[in-house]
Amino acid sequence: MTPSQNLLAELAKPTQAFSKAEQKVASAILANPELTTRSSIARLAQSAKVSEPTVNRFCKRLGATGFPDFKLKLALSLASGARFINSAVAEDDTAPTFTPKIFNASIHALEITRDSVDPKLIHHVIDEVVASKRIYFFGQGNSGPVALDAEFKFFRFNTPVSAHQDPLMQRMLAAASKPGDLFVIISYTGRTIELVETARLARDSLATVISITAPASPLARASDLAITLDVGEDTDEYLPMTSRLAQLTLLDVIATGVTLRQGQAHLPHLARIKKSLTSTRFDNSEQDA
Amino acid sequence: MTPSQNLLAELAKPTQAFSKAEQKVASAILANPELTTRSSIARLAQSAKVSEPTVNRFCKRLGATGFPDFKLKLALSLASGARFINSAVAEDDTAPTFTPKIFNASIHALEITRDSVDPKLIHHVIDEVVASKRIYFFGQGNSGPVALDAEFKFFRFNTPVSAHQDPLMQRMLAAASKPGDLFVIISYTGRTIELVETARLARDSLATVISITAPASPLARASDLAITLDVGEDTDEYLPMTSRLAQLTLLDVIATGVTLRQGQAHLPHLARIKKSLTSTRFDNSEQDA
DNA sequence: CTATAAATGTATTTTTATTACATTATCTTC
DNA sequence: GAAGATAATGTAATAAAAATACATTTATAG
């Protein structure tokens, strides 16, 4: 663990072996870390009621080369992690307070996912997508729109692709599948009975099944490859499903990987698609009152 | 625009009216911004081959109170924005390298949006949602799934809600609308002709139109309230539409705001919805081989 | 060209941070 | 529980860094 990344947490940690004077410094900083990053050593020493060298020693003990370096690291840890400490939405929140909280929660979910995804697995998934002759995206409920979004994204490739939310349709497609078909099943919980059965049907027909779902869930186990997300949510009544964003971004990653794999060969195809949209748009310059 | 948020971009901007000596300072900083945050003014002056006061003036011109403050702001913009400066996906990227790039681009889009959204506007939007008798979410293309996602989200409230992607259906609904109806139109470009016309039809019928779209776009002008997003993308062939994530999160924010506004009154309603889903799921403990 | 203004640099002062060393408190051992 | 040792803290001096005032140069307009 790098001490620079979480200086604030380090300061607040009760297990820290600070001496009396150092304790004072720590609380003075925690009282207003934001201000501290713009203070002089003299000001901080005064507000902590200790001498300046004590502050300096305190900084060095925490891994900084001196006070300025400490301020820098404090500012950085303030910028990254700190905001999340109390980001639960409360009942008395108003627009200015809950708006950043929700954005931060979403950002946090993406950071977690970014740091936990296994690139090797992504690589394998891309292999499967490239090798497939047909792709189906399945999702129900909240994951339905995600599947639909994936359809738009993967439409750029020459492989036929479709998204389905209807359970019966999903079931029929899975039962009628054949080798070379790829099913990408998206489910936050991985416990939707119909989707798990659909996965089994597809695999019985020797199609490939990839899921984006919860770790160690029935769906993950029923798939050939499972990208598992553990964003950990649904606990707070007010905080929304941040997992969709992680799922969407993951699909972006896969689509990008496929694009890169296919190389320049398909760029004309993309250009044609883009061109087909221009007539539906207002010109960038033109006007309407 | 806050100069603190994007110091690096500010430095690199070619339109900046820097004098000769200041130009030197800018390039010296850009050559190694990371090092600059830990340099003294003397060191930077030397490496830029200018005098120390020139550096100091340079800092003040860019909105800092002095050199230390400038370093702080530089460090902050380095912590947030910097990762993205060269995060364009390159043709020789592989899964381990492009995966974090794409996540970072998404995170960046959310950060930008978080910092640019006007909470007052959000407040007004929530007012409209709460006041409405019926809500329609419209989107086409990539924004279609966003509209659909919103439908799921807003379904929790007692107000009837539906999402539509079909242009004809959208048009008919708008034409047949009446006061109390709320149309939320999602469009990244704000230039889709059909959606703009739909917005006008709805307003002609005295319904309310809120759009989530590009600033100063025809759609924004045709709406009662417009939440504008300027994520700035679509330039890189490989990087995906990060704006959808911003749109989705924005809708999360609005939904949360409505939930908070309605208070405890509707919690039983939510509980009933949650309960209705349990029978479709595998039990958390139970198993299947 | 000259007058003027803008830009840059030099030298100085002020502020800030660090170091060396003295003092005080705390702990250990008999 | 007192003497010696050790750690913690503070005082005062020094060094480093930054900002200022002012001089010089360079560009610009008439």
Side-chain angles (χ1 to χ4, degrees):
Chain A
M1 171 224 56
T2 64
S4 55
Q5 276 299 346
N6 46 9
L7 237 190
L8 264 180
E10 205 70 11
L11 284 174
K13 205 187 289 177
T15 62
Q16 270 286 7
F18 287 140
S19 69
K20 248 182 292 177
E22 284 171 341
Q23 196 63 57
K24 285 196 232 170
V25 178
S27 1
I29 294 170
L30 284 169
N32 195 345
E34 165 57 27
L35 177 69
T36 304
T37 61
R38 282 173 285 116
S39 284
S40 69
I41 194 168
R43 197 147 124 226
L44 177 59
Q46 191 179 10
S47 91
K49 301 213 170 71
V50 299
S51 69
E52 299 182 19
T54 297
V55 174
N56 196 280
R57 282 187 284 258
F58 177 85
C59 297
K60 286 182 174 167
R61 170 183 295 249
L62 277 140
T65 67
F67 184 68
D69 184 50
F70 177 86
K71 282 196 292 190
L72 197 91
K73 287 179 170 160
L74 181 66
L76 290 180
S77 84
L78 215 50
S80 61
R83 278 176 274 182
F84 303 111
I85 283 186
N86 33 0
S87 69
V89 176
E91 276 185 43
D92 57 347
D93 267 328
T94 58
T97 58
F98 68 70
T99 301
K101 280 184 185 179
I102 288 170
F103 273 94
N104 286 342
S106 297
I107 290 168
H108 190 58
L110 292 183
E111 284 173 346
I112 298 258
T113 309
R114 176 193 61 197
D115 298 339
S116 67
V117 159
D118 175 14
K120 273 208 209 81
L121 180 57
I122 298 289
H123 191 89
H124 289 320
V125 169
I126 294 167
D127 285 342
E128 293 294 345
V129 172
V130 171
S132 69
K133 295 205 176 63
R134 182 128 195 23
I135 309 174
Y136 299 95
F137 290 99
F138 287 0
Q140 289 182 17
N142 274 300
S143 301
V146 177
L148 215 67
D149 184 87
E151 179 184 11
F152 275 99
K153 196 153 289 303
F154 283 73
F155 176 73
R156 316 189 305 187
F157 312 124
N158 273 325
T159 315
V161 57
S162 59
H164 302 271
Q165 310 180 261
D166 182 83
L168 277 180
M169 183 59 97
Q170 291 173 348
R171 218 185 166 85
M172 291 189 294
L173 288 169
S177 66
K178 49 184 190 298
D181 285 356
L182 172 62
F183 292 81
V184 180
I185 305 182
I186 302 145
S187 165
Y188 168 57
T189 61
R191 310 189 161 279
T192 309
I193 298 172
E194 274 164 343
L195 283 175
V196 178
E197 282 171 2
T198 301
R200 288 187 190 135
L201 278 174
R203 288 188 71 191
D204 287 347
S205 310
L206 301 178
T208 308
V209 174
I210 294 175
S211 61
I212 299 180
T213 188
S217 61
L219 178 56
R221 260 173 277 123
S223 312
D224 292 290
L225 291 174
I227 305 180
T228 57
L229 296 177
D230 196 1
V231 175
E233 65 185 297
D234 244 1
T235 47
D236 187 335
E237 193 66 59
Y238 300 119
L239 273 183
M241 294 278 293
T242 49
S243 59
R244 326 180 313 293
L245 304 180
Q247 293 165 352
L248 287 166
T249 306
L250 224 32
L251 286 162
D252 283 346
V253 169
I254 295 165
T256 303
V258 174
T259 308
L260 289 174
R261 196 73 71 80
Q262 294 187 330
Q264 301 302 61
H266 291 74
L267 286 186
H269 181 231
L270 288 179
R272 227 178 313 133
I273 294 174
K274 277 208 171 172
K275 195 150 170 252
S276 75
L277 289 175
T278 49
S279 74
T280 70
R281 302 246 161 94
F282 280 109
D283 191 278
N284 231 359
S285 55
E286 167 225 331
Q287 223 30 278
D288 62 314
Chain B
M1 173 221 56
T2 65
S4 54
Q5 275 298 350
N6 47 7
L7 238 190
L8 265 179
E10 205 69 12
L11 284 175
K13 204 188 288 177
T15 61
Q16 269 288 7
F18 286 141
S19 69
K20 246 182 293 174
E22 284 171 341
Q23 196 62 58
K24 284 197 234 171
V25 178
S27 4
I29 295 170
L30 250 27
N32 195 345
E34 164 59 25
L35 176 69
T36 304
T37 61
R38 283 173 283 118
S39 283
S40 70
I41 194 169
R43 195 145 125 227
L44 177 59
Q46 191 179 13
S47 92
K49 302 213 170 72
V50 300
S51 70
E52 300 182 20
T54 297
V55 174
N56 195 277
R57 282 187 284 258
F58 177 85
C59 298
K60 286 182 174 167
R61 169 182 296 249
L62 277 141
T65 68
F67 184 68
D69 184 51
F70 177 85
K71 282 196 293 190
L72 197 91
K73 288 179 170 159
L74 182 65
L76 289 180
S77 85
L78 216 50
S80 64
R83 277 177 274 177
F84 310 107
I85 279 192
N86 25 0
S87 73
V89 176
E91 278 184 43
D92 57 349
D93 267 327
T94 57
T97 58
F98 69 70
T99 302
K101 280 185 186 180
I102 289 170
F103 272 94
N104 286 342
S106 298
I107 290 168
H108 187 55
L110 293 184
E111 285 173 343
I112 297 262
T113 309
R114 176 195 63 199
D115 297 339
S116 67
V117 159
D118 175 14
K120 273 208 211 82
L121 179 57
I122 298 289
H123 190 87
H124 289 320
V125 169
I126 294 168
D127 285 342
E128 293 295 345
V129 172
V130 170
S132 69
K133 295 204 176 63
R134 183 135 196 12
I135 309 175
Y136 299 95
F137 290 100
F138 287 180
Q140 289 182 18
N142 274 299
S143 301
V146 177
L148 214 66
D149 184 87
E151 179 184 11
F152 275 100
K153 195 154 290 304
F154 284 72
F155 177 72
R156 316 188 305 186
F157 312 123
N158 274 326
T159 317
V161 56
S162 59
H164 302 271
Q165 309 180 264
D166 182 82
L168 278 179
M169 182 61 96
Q170 291 173 349
R171 217 186 166 86
M172 292 189 295
L173 288 169
S177 67
K178 49 184 188 302
D181 286 355
L182 172 62
F183 291 82
V184 180
I185 305 183
I186 302 146
S187 165
Y188 168 58
T189 61
R191 309 190 161 278
T192 307
I193 298 171
E194 273 165 344
L195 284 175
V196 178
E197 282 171 2
T198 300
R200 290 190 188 132
L201 278 175
R203 289 189 71 191
D204 287 347
S205 311
L206 300 178
T208 308
V209 174
I210 294 175
S211 60
I212 300 179
T213 189
S217 60
L219 178 57
R221 260 174 278 125
S223 313
D224 291 290
L225 291 173
I227 306 180
T228 58
L229 294 178
D230 196 3
V231 175
E233 64 185 297
D234 242 2
T235 47
D236 188 333
E237 192 66 60
Y238 299 120
L239 275 183
M241 294 278 291
T242 49
S243 59
R244 347 190 284 303
L245 304 180
Q247 294 165 352
L248 287 166
T249 306
L250 224 32
L251 286 162
D252 283 347
V253 168
I254 296 165
T256 303
V258 175
T259 308
L260 289 173
R261 195 74 70 82
Q262 294 187 329
Q264 302 301 63
H266 291 74
L267 286 184
H269 181 232
L270 287 178
R272 229 177 311 133
I273 294 174
K274 277 208 172 172
K275 195 151 170 251
S276 75
L277 289 174
T278 48
S279 74
T280 70
R281 301 245 163 95
F282 280 108
D283 191 277
N284 232 357
S285 54
E286 167 226 334
Q287 224 25 285
D288 62 313

